[in-house]
Amino acid sequence: MRRPVLPSGWSCLGLVRHLTLSDERYWFESVASGGELDFWPDGENADWVVGPEEAAADVIAAYRAACAASDAFIAATALDIPPARPESWWEQAGLAFPDLRAVIVHVIAETATHAGPPRRRPRDDRRTSVHRLVELTPPRRRGPGRARQPSAAARRSCRPAA
């Protein structure tokens, strides 16, 4: 039996399953490239569940395969291409993923958030510290010799706590 390590019942292997399905496959195989969601398991938080009959090596191999497929897609695709399968709920949630670049940044932020130490999620899931440091919009055009200044939000998030 897989022992949960968090009060939620999630385990480290469950995290690998979630990263495989929710981060790599959903964002790159479905959203960015337009593939079907036929791999998604039924049930609430089912993308975190690893059955007792599943070998840990198989779960890890599936994650590595999903990462390799994502890497191949990214290497063959322009960063400014819009998602092939955008979701209707993004706008209602205040989210925008106008291009592959924004999807990549989102997946990096989600992976970093999940891979960090267990803690309460921010009240506003869309604004983690990683999201505040990385702008999801393309860089503004600058003239020669003009360095890009960090945003006010980035400057605030980098200050030591008082």
Side-chain angles (χ1 to χ4, degrees):
M1 178 176 161
R2 310 242 183 253
R3 294 186 49 189
V5 294
L6 297 173
S8 63
W10 296 341
S11 67
C12 293
L13 202 54
L15 170 61
V16 174
R17 167 65 48 83
H18 172 76
L19 292 174
T20 302
L21 298 177
S22 182
D23 291 12
E24 296 298 327
R25 292 194 67 191
Y26 170 74
W27 284 103
F28 295 111
E29 186 177 321
S30 293
V31 171
S33 64
E36 295 296 323
L37 266 173
D38 55 0
F39 58 85
W40 201 260
D42 290 330
E44 186 175 342
N45 290 323
D47 58 318
W48 286 86
V49 176
V50 177
E53 73 287 351
E54 294 180 82
D58 293 342
V59 175
I60 293 168
Y63 179 59
R64 287 183 175 149
C67 289
S70 297
D71 289 348
F73 175 77
I74 292 166
T77 307
L79 292 176
D80 60 353
I81 193 165
R85 187 183 292 270
E87 297 275 5
S88 60
W89 58 267
W90 292 347
E91 187 175 342
Q92 293 172 338
L95 300 171
F97 303 100
D99 53 28
L100 180 58
R101 180 181 290 107
V103 170
I104 292 169
V105 170
H106 177 73
V107 171
I108 291 169
E110 282 297 305
T111 302
T113 299
H114 288 310
R119 60 183 175 266
R120 257 185 47 235
R121 296 273 307 208
R123 284 191 181 124
D124 180 353
D125 278 342
R126 294 171 287 135
R127 301 296 294 171
T128 66
S129 59
V130 175
H131 285 105
R132 284 192 299 266
L133 291 172
V134 180
E135 293 180 16
L136 293 179
T137 56
R140 287 172 267 157
R141 295 190 187 272
R142 297 180 287 284
R146 292 181 60 202
R148 182 177 182 168
Q149 297 297 313
S151 68
R155 288 191 302 273
R156 281 194 302 275
S157 66
C158 293
R159 289 185 194 146

